[in-house]
Amino acid sequence: MELLSLVLNTTYFTFNGDIYRQKEGMAMGSPVSPIMANIFMEDLEQRATETAPSHIKPIFWRRYVDDVLAIVPIGFEEELLQHLNTIDQTGQIKFTMENMKNNTIPFLDTLITIQDNGNIKTSVYRKSTHTDQYLHFQSNHPLEHKLSVVNTLVDRCESIVSTEEGQKQEMSHIKAALSTCGYPDWSFKRVKDKREHRKANKDKEKTTDKEKSRVNIGLPYVEGMTQRLRRTLKQHNINTYITPKNKLRESLVHPKDKIDKDQQCGIVYQVGCHNCKKVYIGETGRALKTRIIEHKTDVEKNTVGTRTRSARHSQSKILHKSAITDHATIENHIPDFENTKILDKEQHYLSRKIKEEAIWIRKTNMNINRDQGGHELSHIYDDLIKRDTRASKGGHQQKAEHQTKDGASHRTMTNDRTSCQRHLRDQGY
């Protein structure tokens, strides 16, 4: 319980440079928040229904997160609402009520209608603010993501709409909305064929536990490259799923305060030298400031009294904690700690090690690192890394040419993704 209390009360955040602690409610974004909120609501609704007087007790009660569908005796709706709002002693949980209008009531994305004969009809419910804006077909996403939009809407239509006429109307609405988003007719036909094939071969597609893949790998989407890699992995019984690498939300939405460079964690960094063009590439999961202080301390400790040639020669036989210290003692150079650069950000330890040793060290020719780092990446990737480096430099040169010639040049800037695609084509993939 002490550990749980620590987790639930660790709700600190910063705003305008000040540190705050959330006193009420659960922290947004915490994995434990939805679990605890659901446990709390289950306890609250159980006490509410058990203590409700018999004449207002709900006949039917179903809840999903914060939406409740209930059947209440006619005329006692307000009394039940008042009873529900007395259960939470803190007064933080407040119920509101929406009564049925014209024999219809929405619940989640379902519109429930009671017909004249007493039967219930269901259809898809859309709020008045719904815009029918879905993933555009021309966006930089894999085709399977776009087809899954069609499949999801069709699946919702078949599972929610209870009448044949209603399903026809819903399908017409789906096709009109997606056509506005650029979806061609063949996308609907392909989804339809796949659904029919899945239904016809449902029993044949069942596999034993031994045949099922036990490995799932997420791949960033790079057009042309990711699909080929997926096919290769599939041959080895490895399932993959594709995740968009660059999202519009990540570029436009920044709700959190910007963290100072010295306080950033999970990074790949570069330390230069005051006396030469060589650099050191490193990584740390802690704050950059903490790691730089360690480098400074080690350099200062080992460079005191080692400025003579003989002293530097003796120091060259000693393996220090860091290659920065080696460079400072042997070459009698001064590291440029004040202008440390952050090259990349990665919280995952293994991914950060790959980005540091396996990629950035190899991309940087003038580095003083002692080896290729803690993760040994196959040299089969060397040519690809070199091509990306040249393409990146070429992109900067072409951009400068655009700016200096006032639009006279029409060359296209080359980015890393295009370089990777060209490399794969050159290799016959």
Side-chain angles (χ1 to χ4, degrees):
M1 291 300 294
E2 292 182 0
L3 180 60
L4 179 61
S5 176
L6 175 64
V7 172
L8 298 180
N9 288 295
T10 306
T11 54
Y12 299 97
F13 60 94
T14 60
F15 180 73
N16 286 340
D18 295 325
I19 300 177
Y20 297 85
R21 183 175 72 86
Q22 181 180 339
K23 297 175 62 177
E24 298 177 350
M26 303 296 299
M28 293 183 63
S30 173
V32 74
S33 293
I35 299 174
M36 297 305 300
N38 197 44
I39 293 174
F40 176 84
M41 286 303 301
E42 285 185 4
D43 176 70
L44 186 143
E45 65 185 1
Q46 182 178 359
R47 288 187 287 116
T49 54
E50 289 178 352
T51 58
S54 58
H55 66 284
I56 65 171
K57 185 168 292 188
I59 302 172
F60 177 89
W61 180 283
R62 291 292 183 273
R63 178 183 59 85
Y64 182 79
V65 188
D66 59 347
D67 287 324
V68 177
L69 178 65
I71 300 177
V72 185
I74 298 176
F76 296 98
E77 299 92 346
E78 289 293 337
E79 187 175 348
L80 176 62
L81 180 63
Q82 293 177 7
H83 170 72
L84 293 174
N85 287 328
T86 61
I87 302 302
D88 180 30
Q89 299 299 323
T90 65
Q92 298 297 319
I93 304 298
K94 292 293 183 182
F95 286 85
T96 58
M97 182 175 59
E98 180 180 355
N99 291 322
M100 180 175 285
K101 297 179 181 179
N102 299 325
N103 292 333
T104 62
I105 188 169
F107 180 63
L108 304 177
D109 57 355
T110 304
L111 184 65
I112 303 171
T113 304
I114 299 180
Q115 299 175 302
D116 295 336
N117 58 6
N119 293 331
I120 294 178
K121 181 181 73 173
T122 58
S123 58
V124 175
Y125 172 71
R126 296 179 179 87
K127 294 182 178 180
S128 57
T129 55
H130 183 72
T131 61
D132 274 333
Q133 292 296 313
Y134 300 99
L135 179 67
H136 201 280
F137 199 80
Q138 299 301 322
S139 61
N140 186 37
H141 288 75
L143 178 61
E144 64 182 63
H145 285 190
K146 300 164 188 175
L147 295 180
S148 70
V149 173
V150 182
N151 186 68
T152 299
L153 295 178
V154 172
D155 189 64
R156 184 175 68 171
C157 172
E158 294 183 358
S159 59
I160 291 181
V161 183
S162 59
T163 63
E164 184 176 349
E165 181 183 356
Q167 288 189 0
K168 290 181 179 179
Q169 294 177 354
E170 178 63 20
M171 286 301 302
S172 298
H173 181 93
I174 291 172
K175 289 183 179 180
L178 293 182
S179 296
T180 304
C181 295
Y183 285 73
D185 292 337
W186 62 262
S187 63
F188 301 101
K189 185 178 184 304
R190 179 174 295 189
V191 170
K192 181 180 178 181
D193 293 342
K194 283 188 176 182
R195 292 177 66 88
E196 291 177 352
H197 180 270
R198 192 181 302 115
K199 291 178 182 179
N201 297 274
K202 190 174 182 180
D203 295 334
K204 296 180 181 179
E205 291 181 354
K206 291 182 179 179
T207 58
T208 62
D209 292 338
K210 292 182 179 180
E211 293 173 332
K212 290 181 180 179
S213 172
R214 299 182 181 273
V215 180
N216 290 283
I217 298 177
L219 300 175
Y221 180 64
V222 179
E223 186 178 358
M225 178 188 295
T226 304
Q227 292 88 334
R228 293 179 175 89
L229 183 57
R230 293 189 74 185
R231 288 194 288 268
T232 301
L233 294 175
K234 188 176 181 179
Q235 296 175 0
H236 299 278
N237 200 28
I238 299 176
N239 286 335
T240 57
Y241 58 91
I242 302 177
T243 57
K245 184 172 180 59
N246 299 317
K247 300 180 181 178
L248 187 62
R249 179 181 179 86
E250 295 176 354
S251 301
L252 300 180
V253 181
H254 303 284
K256 296 183 179 180
D257 288 352
K258 186 176 180 179
I259 302 175
D260 293 338
K261 183 180 73 172
D262 291 343
Q263 299 298 326
Q264 293 189 31
C265 304
I267 58 171
V268 179
Y269 62 91
Q270 173 183 296
V271 179
C273 178
H274 278 294
N275 305 92
C276 66
K277 295 183 179 181
K278 292 185 177 181
V279 297
Y280 171 81
I281 309 296
E283 64 83 22
T284 180
R286 298 171 294 166
L288 175 63
K289 181 179 180 180
T290 302
R291 185 66 181 127
I292 294 301
I293 289 176
E294 292 177 347
H295 282 306
K296 285 183 178 180
T297 303
D298 193 50
V299 170
E300 292 171 358
K301 175 183 176 182
N302 289 278
T303 54
V304 176
T306 61
R307 298 301 180 182
T308 64
R309 182 179 300 176
S310 60
R312 292 201 306 273
H313 178 73
S314 62
Q315 283 287 326
S316 64
K317 300 178 181 179
I318 301 175
L319 187 65
H320 299 95
K321 291 183 179 180
S322 171
I324 296 180
T325 308
D326 291 342
H327 185 72
T329 55
I330 298 172
E331 302 294 337
N332 199 20
H333 287 184
I334 301 175
D336 187 10
F337 291 118
E338 300 302 324
N339 294 310
T340 301
K341 297 180 180 179
I342 294 179
L343 301 177
D344 216 327
K345 298 179 182 179
E346 178 58 58
Q347 296 298 328
H348 190 270
Y349 174 75
L350 180 58
S351 298
R352 191 170 65 247
K353 297 293 286 186
I354 293 175
K355 285 184 178 181
E356 179 211 356
E357 286 89 0
I359 297 178
W360 279 104
I361 290 179
R362 294 192 188 181
K363 288 178 69 172
T364 309
N365 293 326
M366 298 290 289
N367 71 75
I368 60 175
N369 294 73
R370 288 192 287 245
D371 50 34
Q372 295 300 310
H375 184 88
E376 185 175 354
L377 186 67
S378 173
H379 285 278
I380 194 174
Y381 299 103
D382 286 354
D383 184 54
L384 183 60
I385 293 174
K386 292 178 181 178
R387 284 173 179 262
D388 289 344
T389 304
R390 289 197 298 268
S392 179
K393 293 180 180 178
H396 290 300
Q397 293 173 355
Q398 292 177 25
K399 183 176 180 180
E401 185 175 350
H402 275 279
Q403 294 173 345
T404 55
K405 293 189 177 181
D406 297 326
S409 173
H410 298 285
R411 296 181 183 178
T412 303
M413 290 184 291
T414 306
N415 56 29
D416 287 351
R417 191 186 70 184
T418 305
S419 175
C420 293
Q421 293 173 349
R422 186 182 299 111
H423 171 73
L424 287 171
R425 289 197 297 268
D426 293 342
Q427 298 301 319
Y429 288 98

